[in-house]
Structure formats: C-alpha cells, structure tokens
Amino acid sequence: MNHYQAVIIGFGKAGKTLAGALGRAGWRVAIIEKSKAMYGGTCINIGCIPTKALVHDAQAATDFSEAMQRKASVVEFLREKNYLNLAKMEKVEVIDGQAEFLDAHTLRITTEQDARTLSADRIFINTGAEAIFPQIEGLIPGPRIVDSTGLLNLTSLPERLGILGGGYIGVEFASMFASFGSKVTIFETAPQFLAREDADISTAISTILQEQGVKTELSTVVQSVTNGNDSVTLRTMKGDHKMDVLLVAIGRRPATQALKLEKAGVVTDERGAIRVDKSLKTSADHIWAMGDVTGGPQFTYVSLDDFRIVYDQLLGKGTRTTDDRVNIPYSVFMTPTLSRIGLTEAQARAQGRNIQVVSLPVAATPRARVINDTRGMLKAVVDNDNHRILGVALLAADSHEVINLVKTVMDAGLPYTVLRDQIFTHPTMSESLNDLFALIK
C-alpha cells in the first residue's frame, strides 16, 4: 500500500491547483481522476470553456460543425496541458480510477486494469457535481435525451431542440443553439421565468430570447417522454411536443454517491453535499472538501477560492475562511450576457433597506451603438444611508467584464460615486457605469 502526505480526489480547479502547490512545496501527492476525459475538471472539459467557445462562434455565425471541431481542439489542448502540468512534477502522481473510502485514511482505487489501495495523512475531495435526471416516465439518457455534456458532444445541429428546465444553464444553451439556427423550446414547471431575478430583468431576458426565436412554456409539467428513432416526444397537460433532441437541464447535484463517505466519517446533507465548516473541513478533521461537491455556488472561480482557503491552512497563516468571500458575481453567457452581483431590488426591499433603484437601457450607451447590439438594460440598487452599492444587474454585451469593476468597488466598501465619477476609456461598456450611477439623486 502506498502512503502519501496528501491525496486529492478529483482533477477540478481546486484540486489540480492544490496538487501543484503542494507538490512544489515538497509534499508527496496523489491526485485521482476517474475519467481521462476530465483532466482539468468540469470547466475545461464540459463547462465554461467549451460552452463559451461555442457562444463565441454562434455570435460569429460560424457553421455548427466547424464550431464543434474548434471547441474540441480547444478542450483537448487545455486538457492535455492540465494533465502534463501535474504529471511532469516529481512529487505528484496522477492516478486514473474511481476512488472509494475503506476507512478515514485509506482509499481503494479501481482502475481499468485492477484495483490498488493507498493511504494519506490528509485527503481532499474535489469530485464536483453531476446532472440530475428527474423521475419522468420514459426520460432515459440516450442519443436524443442528453445532459449538457451530451449536448456538447453532438455532431450535427438539431433542427428542434427541447430544453427541460428554464434556469441559467437552460437559458444559456437556448440562446446559443438558437443563434446556430435551432428552433428551441424551453419547458419550465414554474409559473415565473428566472424567478431569482427581478421581474424587469427576467422580462428583458425573455424578450431577447423571443427575438432569437426561443419559445418558453411556463407552468408546464412533462408527464412522460417517448423516445423514437428520429425524435423525442414530450407529453404535457398542454399537449405533445416533438423534438429532435431534448436537453435535461434541471440542475446538478454533488457527485458523492460512489465515494462511500460514511466509512470515513464524512457527513453529507440530504442532497449528498459534503458538510464543511468555514475552513472547508469536513466532519473528519483531516479531510477537506472543495468545489461543487460542497453544495455551494457552482463556479470555477469559487473553487479557486476554495483552494486559497485550504492552502492558507496548510502552508499559510491559517486565517482565510469562507467568511472572507462576499459579493460573488456571476454571468449567464446568453447573448447578450447577463451579469449580476449582490442583492436584487426585491431582496433589498424584503430586508427593509432604505434604497434607491436606477436603470438604464443599453441603447443609451455609445459602445452598444458601435458594436450594433443595443439589447438589454443596466440596473443598480444603492443604499441611501451609506451610498454603498447593494447590487447590480447588467444585461448587456461585455457585462461579464464590467461586473468585476463593480465587485471591486463593493468589496472595498466604496460609495457608488466612485463609479459615477471614474474616468473610463471611450467608447467602452465600462463607461456606462458613469451614466447609470449618475441617475442616483
């Protein structure tokens, strides 16, 4: 049995970064990944990198097959780079196989050829999340019923694409495939579209999707699915809907079922998410969990911050925790992009804050005229008592870049006037913040 100072289960952002850092510090490290197609984690292989490459090519009116080929080459390049970054390190061993706990310090790794046992002083779980398939009659994964990974591996553009789930993943793929030329229909059980957003923002998103040709069926419960040779039929109370491909995008859950965590004394919640404290330690003192497997925000940049927290405990000052993580921005890469940070107007009012809310159409921004995309709106919520920004929503081209400026100001506790009076280059989308915050009275 081989013994290591650290064993990391999962090749995601937090895990691979920690493996490299500990290896450079002289630790003997093993990093375990069950799939050779997942070196680098979800983001590189089946998440942000391939989807954003496709979004870019869809906007550029690239042929679908050409876009898929370019996406594959980008992913393969980054996957190989991530593998070699660790495999070439003297102190780091990359092991292919499925890990499961035998006890709190011991793991069995089942590979394609055999199984091996290893032990570690410290163990770090970074196994990510997996797609959820609801219990619906006939809803069985296959060539025409796919999760987001399956959709990214299509070889031809579906003429009719159905999307089960109207959340952010569904919206992003709907906008992307509509831009490529698919006829897209979103099926959402809730009566309100994107209920986490303010009504004016969700309405603006809905309008943009409609202009792209996307249909949205709200308050729609799929009763059964029939998988034919050349189509998929969804049966609902409103009637039957025939599609070429159905994307199931109702959410993702932590990937912990195969780990046998109970043998290590690691506690999970009802969804299978590993319970951690503010330092990302599990119920076992020598085991940490990082990334999507903890049930927190499923963003690669949050996983990177998880690495920082754990690394600070191991080789730093030991002071960094999740309490230091505030104002987490996110972007939904529809076209144009939705980016948001902080509180919505509804959340701020529910908290009884003394607020002022302002909004600005993107069409009022010179940059939008230059790039010929005037769709969307900008919105800000400001605290009247201390002039700090409580939240911002940007539905606009390049908003995924601009939102980071807002985060910097919010994290520093600066007043909104910093953005109102900042000198930005022209013509840029950033300078729209001058005009947005100038509306505050």
Tab-separated table of all heavy atoms in Angstrom, residues 335-365:
chain	number	residue	atom	x	y	z
A	335	THR	N	-26.804	35.667	-25.173
A	335	THR	CA	-26.360	36.796	-25.992
A	335	THR	C	-27.461	37.848	-26.045
A	335	THR	O	-28.515	37.591	-26.594
A	335	THR	CB	-26.029	36.334	-27.423
A	335	THR	OG1	-25.057	35.286	-27.363
A	335	THR	CG2	-25.477	37.477	-28.246
A	336	PRO	N	-27.228	39.030	-25.425
A	336	PRO	CA	-26.054	39.471	-24.670
A	336	PRO	C	-26.017	38.846	-23.272
A	336	PRO	O	-27.007	38.274	-22.817
A	336	PRO	CB	-26.251	40.984	-24.594
A	336	PRO	CG	-27.736	41.150	-24.577
A	336	PRO	CD	-28.266	40.092	-25.508
A	337	THR	N	-24.888	38.988	-22.619
A	337	THR	CA	-24.650	38.326	-21.337
A	337	THR	C	-25.396	39.008	-20.195
A	337	THR	O	-25.462	40.232	-20.123
A	337	THR	CB	-23.142	38.341	-21.020
A	337	THR	OG1	-22.420	37.843	-22.140
A	337	THR	CG2	-22.835	37.492	-19.809
A	338	LEU	N	-25.937	38.170	-19.296
A	338	LEU	CA	-26.467	38.666	-18.031
A	338	LEU	C	-25.403	38.497	-16.959
A	338	LEU	O	-24.892	37.384	-16.763
A	338	LEU	CB	-27.721	37.894	-17.622
A	338	LEU	CG	-28.166	38.089	-16.165
A	338	LEU	CD1	-28.669	39.523	-15.944
A	338	LEU	CD2	-29.223	37.075	-15.765
A	339	SER	N	-25.074	39.576	-16.253
A	339	SER	CA	-24.131	39.501	-15.138
A	339	SER	C	-24.747	40.189	-13.935
A	339	SER	O	-25.350	41.261	-14.068
A	339	SER	CB	-22.803	40.176	-15.494
A	339	SER	OG	-22.196	39.533	-16.601
A	340	ARG	N	-24.582	39.567	-12.777
A	340	ARG	CA	-25.201	40.145	-11.579
A	340	ARG	C	-24.319	39.946	-10.361
A	340	ARG	O	-23.549	38.984	-10.281
A	340	ARG	CB	-26.580	39.532	-11.336
A	340	ARG	CG	-27.341	40.287	-10.233
A	340	ARG	CD	-28.824	40.037	-10.277
A	340	ARG	NE	-29.210	38.712	-9.819
A	340	ARG	CZ	-29.229	38.341	-8.538
A	340	ARG	NH1	-28.827	39.179	-7.588
A	340	ARG	NH2	-29.629	37.131	-8.206
A	341	ILE	N	-24.484	40.845	-9.396
A	341	ILE	CA	-23.763	40.765	-8.135
A	341	ILE	C	-24.622	41.392	-7.045
A	341	ILE	O	-25.372	42.346	-7.293
A	341	ILE	CB	-22.393	41.487	-8.224
A	341	ILE	CG1	-21.561	41.230	-6.976
A	341	ILE	CG2	-22.560	42.976	-8.478
A	341	ILE	CD1	-20.119	41.703	-7.084
A	342	GLY	N	-24.517	40.844	-5.842
A	342	GLY	CA	-25.208	41.434	-4.709
A	342	GLY	C	-26.700	41.168	-4.680
A	342	GLY	O	-27.197	40.172	-5.213
A	343	LEU	N	-27.436	42.090	-4.053
A	343	LEU	CA	-28.868	41.934	-3.855
A	343	LEU	C	-29.663	42.373	-5.076
A	343	LEU	O	-29.283	43.306	-5.776
A	343	LEU	CB	-29.330	42.771	-2.660
A	343	LEU	CG	-28.705	42.475	-1.292
A	343	LEU	CD1	-29.250	43.445	-0.252
A	343	LEU	CD2	-28.964	41.036	-0.863
A	344	THR	N	-30.785	41.693	-5.307
A	344	THR	CA	-31.760	42.202	-6.266
A	344	THR	C	-32.569	43.294	-5.579
A	344	THR	O	-32.508	43.472	-4.351
A	344	THR	CB	-32.710	41.095	-6.734
A	344	THR	OG1	-33.459	40.620	-5.598
A	344	THR	CG2	-31.946	39.935	-7.360
A	345	GLU	N	-33.348	44.016	-6.357
A	345	GLU	CA	-34.238	45.020	-5.767
A	345	GLU	C	-35.208	44.357	-4.798
A	345	GLU	O	-35.442	44.863	-3.686
A	345	GLU	CB	-35.007	45.745	-6.867
A	345	GLU	CG	-36.029	46.739	-6.336
A	345	GLU	CD	-36.873	47.376	-7.428
A	345	GLU	OE1	-36.597	47.133	-8.624
A	345	GLU	OE2	-37.823	48.113	-7.080
A	346	ALA	N	-35.765	43.216	-5.192
A	346	ALA	CA	-36.735	42.524	-4.346
A	346	ALA	C	-36.105	42.092	-3.025
A	346	ALA	O	-36.721	42.222	-1.955
A	346	ALA	CB	-37.300	41.316	-5.090
A	347	GLN	N	-34.878	41.590	-3.067
A	347	GLN	CA	-34.197	41.162	-1.845
A	347	GLN	C	-33.908	42.349	-0.932
A	347	GLN	O	-34.076	42.257	0.284
A	347	GLN	CB	-32.898	40.446	-2.206
A	347	GLN	CG	-33.095	39.085	-2.838
A	347	GLN	CD	-31.813	38.509	-3.410
A	347	GLN	OE1	-30.889	39.243	-3.782
A	347	GLN	NE2	-31.736	37.187	-3.484
A	348	ALA	N	-33.477	43.462	-1.506
A	348	ALA	CA	-33.175	44.650	-0.702
A	348	ALA	C	-34.426	45.187	-0.024
A	348	ALA	O	-34.400	45.583	1.148
A	348	ALA	CB	-32.542	45.719	-1.587
A	349	ARG	N	-35.544	45.198	-0.737
A	349	ARG	CA	-36.803	45.681	-0.145
A	349	ARG	C	-37.297	44.727	0.926
A	349	ARG	O	-37.827	45.150	1.968
A	349	ARG	CB	-37.854	45.862	-1.230
A	349	ARG	CG	-37.524	46.973	-2.221
A	349	ARG	CD	-38.709	47.382	-3.076
A	349	ARG	NE	-38.328	48.329	-4.113
A	349	ARG	CZ	-38.100	49.629	-3.911
A	349	ARG	NH1	-38.214	50.119	-2.687
A	349	ARG	NH2	-37.759	50.425	-4.909
A	350	ALA	N	-37.106	43.427	0.722
A	350	ALA	CA	-37.519	42.445	1.714
A	350	ALA	C	-36.729	42.609	3.015
A	350	ALA	O	-37.233	42.294	4.097
A	350	ALA	CB	-37.345	41.038	1.162
A	351	GLN	N	-35.499	43.094	2.896
A	351	GLN	CA	-34.673	43.329	4.081
A	351	GLN	C	-34.981	44.666	4.749
A	351	GLN	O	-34.390	44.996	5.778
A	351	GLN	CB	-33.197	43.283	3.694
A	351	GLN	CG	-32.699	41.905	3.288
A	351	GLN	CD	-31.222	41.891	2.938
A	351	GLN	OE1	-30.503	42.863	3.206
A	351	GLN	NE2	-30.751	40.793	2.354
A	352	GLY	N	-35.872	45.441	4.153
A	352	GLY	CA	-36.237	46.737	4.713
A	352	GLY	C	-35.183	47.810	4.522
A	352	GLY	O	-35.168	48.799	5.273
A	353	ARG	N	-34.339	47.650	3.522
A	353	ARG	CA	-33.285	48.643	3.285
A	353	ARG	C	-33.876	49.942	2.745
A	353	ARG	O	-34.889	49.952	2.033
A	353	ARG	CB	-32.279	48.098	2.257
A	353	ARG	CG	-31.551	46.838	2.663
A	353	ARG	CD	-30.554	47.061	3.773
A	353	ARG	NE	-29.684	45.905	3.940
A	353	ARG	CZ	-28.425	45.844	3.577
A	353	ARG	NH1	-27.848	46.891	3.011
A	353	ARG	NH2	-27.718	44.762	3.784
A	354	ASN	N	-33.215	51.039	3.067
A	354	ASN	CA	-33.554	52.359	2.512
A	354	ASN	C	-32.774	52.496	1.207
A	354	ASN	O	-31.594	52.826	1.214
A	354	ASN	CB	-33.171	53.452	3.504
A	354	ASN	CG	-33.409	54.852	2.939
A	354	ASN	OD1	-34.209	55.034	2.018
A	354	ASN	ND2	-32.711	55.834	3.489
A	355	ILE	N	-33.431	52.231	0.105
A	355	ILE	CA	-32.704	52.090	-1.150
A	355	ILE	C	-33.184	53.060	-2.218
A	355	ILE	O	-34.264	53.638	-2.134
A	355	ILE	CB	-32.822	50.658	-1.709
A	355	ILE	CG1	-34.280	50.323	-2.055
A	355	ILE	CG2	-32.235	49.650	-0.747
A	355	ILE	CD1	-34.452	49.007	-2.789
A	356	GLN	N	-32.342	53.206	-3.211
A	356	GLN	CA	-32.701	53.879	-4.444
A	356	GLN	C	-32.336	52.941	-5.596
A	356	GLN	O	-31.259	52.330	-5.579
A	356	GLN	CB	-31.962	55.207	-4.582
A	356	GLN	CG	-32.488	56.049	-5.733
A	356	GLN	CD	-31.955	57.477	-5.723
A	356	GLN	OE1	-32.041	58.178	-6.715
A	356	GLN	NE2	-31.401	57.918	-4.599
A	357	VAL	N	-33.236	52.812	-6.546
A	357	VAL	CA	-33.051	51.903	-7.667
A	357	VAL	C	-33.053	52.702	-8.958
A	357	VAL	O	-33.947	53.532	-9.182
A	357	VAL	CB	-34.160	50.832	-7.714
A	357	VAL	CG1	-33.948	49.882	-8.892
A	357	VAL	CG2	-34.219	50.057	-6.401
A	358	VAL	N	-32.060	52.461	-9.795
A	358	VAL	CA	-31.984	53.158	-11.085
A	358	VAL	C	-31.731	52.133	-12.183
A	358	VAL	O	-31.142	51.076	-11.945
A	358	VAL	CB	-30.869	54.225	-11.102
A	358	VAL	CG1	-31.198	55.374	-10.169
A	358	VAL	CG2	-29.514	53.614	-10.750
A	359	SER	N	-32.191	52.443	-13.377
A	359	SER	CA	-31.946	51.564	-14.518
A	359	SER	C	-31.717	52.402	-15.761
A	359	SER	O	-32.147	53.556	-15.851
A	359	SER	CB	-33.111	50.603	-14.725
A	359	SER	OG	-34.304	51.298	-14.993
A	360	LEU	N	-31.027	51.782	-16.716
A	360	LEU	CA	-30.642	52.484	-17.939
A	360	LEU	C	-30.710	51.500	-19.099
A	360	LEU	O	-30.168	50.395	-19.000
A	360	LEU	CB	-29.212	53.012	-17.790
A	360	LEU	CG	-28.620	53.821	-18.946
A	360	LEU	CD1	-29.253	55.224	-18.979
A	360	LEU	CD2	-27.103	53.933	-18.795
A	361	PRO	N	-31.360	51.861	-20.184
A	361	PRO	CA	-31.346	50.971	-21.348
A	361	PRO	C	-29.958	50.932	-21.975
A	361	PRO	O	-29.273	51.965	-22.068
A	361	PRO	CB	-32.382	51.589	-22.291
A	361	PRO	CG	-32.438	53.024	-21.895
A	361	PRO	CD	-32.186	53.061	-20.414
A	362	VAL	N	-29.551	49.763	-22.411
A	362	VAL	CA	-28.243	49.624	-23.052
A	362	VAL	C	-28.159	50.489	-24.303
A	362	VAL	O	-27.080	50.970	-24.678
A	362	VAL	CB	-27.971	48.142	-23.384
A	362	VAL	CG1	-26.722	47.989	-24.252
A	362	VAL	CG2	-27.800	47.341	-22.099
A	363	ALA	N	-29.288	50.721	-24.929
A	363	ALA	CA	-29.325	51.533	-26.147
A	363	ALA	C	-28.791	52.943	-25.934
A	363	ALA	O	-28.399	53.620	-26.897
A	363	ALA	CB	-30.747	51.595	-26.701
A	364	ALA	N	-28.742	53.388	-24.665
A	364	ALA	CA	-28.234	54.734	-24.370
A	364	ALA	C	-26.713	54.785	-24.300
A	364	ALA	O	-26.134	55.861	-24.102
A	364	ALA	CB	-28.820	55.226	-23.044
A	365	THR	N	-26.063	53.646	-24.481
A	365	THR	CA	-24.609	53.559	-24.350
A	365	THR	C	-23.932	53.638	-25.717
A	365	THR	O	-24.268	52.856	-26.611
A	365	THR	CB	-24.228	52.231	-23.670
A	365	THR	OG1	-24.897	52.145	-22.399
A	365	THR	CG2	-22.736	52.120	-23.462
